[in-house]
């Protein structure tokens, strides 16, 4: 190997208090209208879009690396607080395209849940997320963040470079559980 074959090391700054990645290369913005078909109460989503000017639902900040085995992709995920009807805001959720790849989420700000399920729906688990809490998403589990707090739920995520994303299965099947604010408290139903 010559010096030209080595990828150059790099570094970047993450504001741990604010949960912000400085100078991201990619900035993915998902608005309420991108979430059509995901929430239980579609009419409530339409009202939210109409009355609030299609607000930003969540953002992802990335400094991508080559999508190769051996690399580690990482990002900051920022999910805003709110509800669609009585259902707490969540991310679309996905499997990894290479199903047998895991992911680590470290919560930096806010609180909520990481909702995870297996492809056959035999298992569906909600791990709590709060500042300083880490969730390990094992290989093969679909995952979705849910914000039950009053502030953005911000996480630092790391996963294998080759993982990729499969959104279609969750878009069509959803998760067996949803997180609501009902009778004055959080309920996972
Ligand atoms: C995260 C997610 C991020 C946004 O980086 O991509 O939280 O959620 P959706 O991808 O479900 O819209 C991750 O799990 N990457 O693999
Ligand atoms: Zn993932």
């Amino acid at each position: 190997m010559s010096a030209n074959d080595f990828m150059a090391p790099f570094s970047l700054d993450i504001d741990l208090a604010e949960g912000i990645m400085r100078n991201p290369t990619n900035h993915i913005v998902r608005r309420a209208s991108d979430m059509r078909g995901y929430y239980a109460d579609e009419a409530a989503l339409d009202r939210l879009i109409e009355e609030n000017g299609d607000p930003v639902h969540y953002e992802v900040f990335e400094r991508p690396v080559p999508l190769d085995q051996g690399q580690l992709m990482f990002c900051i995920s920022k999910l805003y607080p709110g509800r669609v009807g009585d259902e707490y805001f969540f991310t679309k959720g996905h499997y990894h395209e290479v199903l047998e790849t895991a992911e680590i989420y470290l919560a930096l700000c806010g609180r909520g849940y990481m909702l995870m399920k297996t492809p056959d729906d035999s298992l569906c688990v909600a791990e709590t997320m709060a500042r300083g809490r880490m969730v390990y998403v094992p290989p093969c589990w679909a995952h979705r963040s849910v914000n039950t707090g009053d502030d953005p739920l911000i996480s630092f995520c790391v996963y294998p470079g080759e993982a990729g994303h499969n959104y279609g299965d969750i878009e069509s099947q959803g998760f067996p559980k949803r997180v609501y604010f009902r009778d004055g408290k959080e309920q996972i139903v």
Side-chain angles (χ1 to χ4, degrees):
M1 271 186 136
S2 77
N4 288 336
D5 297 324
F6 291 102
M7 178 181 165
F10 64 95
S11 56
L12 54 79
D13 292 307
I14 292 172
D15 183 326
L16 292 176
E18 294 291 325
I20 290 170
M21 182 188 288
R22 306 274 179 219
N23 304 315
T25 307
N26 293 346
H27 179 202
I28 300 157
V29 178
R30 302 273 185 234
R31 294 185 174 275
S33 59
D34 296 315
M35 302 303 288
R36 285 208 164 94
Y38 281 87
Y39 287 99
D41 187 343
E42 194 67 30
L45 182 68
D46 286 340
R47 282 198 302 278
L48 176 82
I49 294 166
E50 198 142 302
E51 291 164 15
N52 297 282
D54 198 9
V56 174
H57 214 68
Y58 60 97
E59 300 174 79
V60 181
F61 303 87
E62 294 178 337
R63 189 81 78 81
V65 295
L67 307 178
D68 299 334
Q69 215 166 2
Q71 299 277 358
L72 293 172
M73 275 291 287
F74 59 91
C75 69
I76 292 276
S77 167
K78 180 176 188 178
L79 170 62
Y80 287 90
R83 291 195 294 266
V84 174
D86 54 2
E87 188 173 12
Y88 287 106
F89 281 8
F90 56 66
T91 57
K92 291 184 172 190
H94 58 264
Y95 292 100
H96 290 158
E97 205 174 315
V98 178
L99 189 63
E100 302 83 4
T101 49
E103 180 157 354
I104 283 174
Y105 275 72
L106 174 62
L108 305 178
C109 303
R111 67 186 178 84
Y113 294 97
M114 179 60 62
L115 203 55
M116 292 167 277
K117 80 169 197 83
T118 52
D120 61 358
D121 276 3
S122 60
L123 299 169
C124 183
V125 173
E127 290 287 341
T128 58
M129 294 185 78
R131 182 172 169 74
R133 195 163 175 85
M134 195 206 89
V135 176
Y136 188 78
V137 181
C140 305
W141 286 69
H143 41 288
R144 156 181 290 170
S145 325
V146 184
N147 187 344
T148 57
D150 299 324
D151 302 308
L153 175 62
I154 303 176
S155 310
F156 179 64
C157 319
V158 187
Y159 55 100
E162 78 277 19
H165 295 97
N166 162 8
Y167 288 99
D169 288 352
I170 293 299
E171 191 174 2
S172 55
Q173 297 157 18
F175 276 70
K177 292 182 183 170
R178 294 176 177 274
V179 188
Y180 295 102
F181 180 75
R182 284 180 178 164
D183 303 323
K185 58 179 191 294
E186 287 172 25
Q187 295 193 21
I188 303 175
V189 182

